[in-house]
Amino acid sequence: MGAVKTKRMPRAVRERQMLDAAVRIFGQRGYTAASMDEIAELAGVSKPLVYLYLNSKEDLFTACIRREAAALTAAVRAGVRQDLPVERQLWEGLRAFFAHTAEHPDGWSVLYLQARRHGEPFVSEAAAMRAEIVAFVTRLVAVAAREAHRDPGLPEREVAGLAEALVGAAESLAAWANSTPQVTAQQAASTLMNFAWSGLGNLMGGKVWAPPPERE
């Protein structure tokens, strides 16, 4: 392996190169198997420079989680136009989510697989991102429920669970779509929309499923 040559460039640019390389290596090889030597070589810098900028492998991985989480939440928020009907807002949000995870499979692997497998502090970093998306979906569905029922109590009883279920389904479906050839982001979003909106639409229309009576 030849010596790595570095050129002078702004710190932010150099750090972005390191994070790009780290996300790729962590996403494809996993946190444990990834080496700082690989990351430095892919970034085109020396290993001591990676340590100088990002301190340790743990700090580098944490920085990757934070960057990818911020990018995903920003993509989902940017995809939702507040002037659209709630059904369209949900569709656009799902489409933005699946498009981003399809375009950044290594970043999604870091968030969805690697961060959850390796304990703290990584789990908490990924959980913070998830909580932000769940809160966003909760507000979206709560507005729709209030408009449909004019019942301020309905969101408190139902919406939190619906948002958790929807986000959980989106996460699982994104992992499946990224590992299944020829499944597009559009198709994944359509699948979840067809699955979720039937139930949500019924709820908005007051058609709530109730469990059968318990047998004595």
Side-chain angles (χ1 to χ4, degrees):
M1 186 183 302
V4 175
K5 296 181 180 180
T6 62
K7 297 180 181 179
R8 289 187 177 275
M9 62 176 61
R11 181 186 178 103
V13 175
R14 181 68 77 192
E15 189 168 317
R16 184 171 67 248
Q17 289 180 336
M18 294 178 190
L19 289 174
D20 288 344
V23 167
R24 181 174 171 184
I25 297 296
F26 286 136
Q28 295 181 5
R29 293 179 56 77
Y31 175 73
T32 302
S35 73
M36 297 295 271
D37 289 294
E38 287 181 291
I39 292 168
E41 182 177 5
L42 185 60
V45 301
S46 65
K47 186 166 73 170
L49 191 61
V50 178
Y51 281 108
L52 178 64
Y53 275 38
L54 293 153
N55 302 319
S56 66
K57 184 179 180 181
E58 179 178 306
D59 288 342
L60 175 58
F61 190 51
T62 299
C64 290
I65 295 171
R66 289 176 179 171
R67 191 186 76 164
E68 297 307 304
L72 177 57
T73 54
V76 172
R77 289 181 177 279
V80 177
R81 284 175 41 197
Q82 300 298 322
D83 60 324
L84 293 174
V86 173
E87 179 179 356
R88 282 288 307 281
Q89 289 187 43
L90 182 58
W91 162 248
E92 297 297 345
L94 289 175
R95 191 164 65 168
F97 175 86
F98 287 111
H100 185 87
T101 55
E103 291 167 5
H104 303 87
D106 294 331
W108 180 239
S109 176
V110 165
L111 289 174
Y112 183 69
L113 296 176
Q114 301 306 322
R116 298 180 179 190
R117 288 176 176 172
H118 297 287
E120 298 295 349
F122 311 134
V123 171
S124 293
E125 292 289 345
M129 175 275 298
R130 189 180 192 279
E132 185 174 349
I133 291 180
V134 168
F136 181 71
V137 174
T138 299
R139 289 192 297 271
L140 182 63
V141 179
V143 169
R146 289 192 180 101
E147 289 177 353
H149 290 270
R150 299 181 182 178
D151 175 8
L154 180 65
E156 285 70 20
R157 294 195 302 267
E158 301 288 347
V159 171
L162 289 170
E164 285 283 351
L166 184 60
V167 171
E171 291 172 336
S172 296
L173 194 58
W176 171 79
N178 279 2
S179 63
T180 304
Q182 299 180 333
V183 175
T184 66
Q186 183 94 353
Q187 290 169 337
S190 296
T191 296
L192 186 52
M193 193 69 184
N194 281 318
F195 178 77
W197 190 252
S198 295
L200 289 171
N202 283 335
L203 180 62
M204 302 309 172
K207 299 177 182 178
V208 181
W209 182 85
E214 294 289 338
R215 292 183 178 181
E216 295 183 359

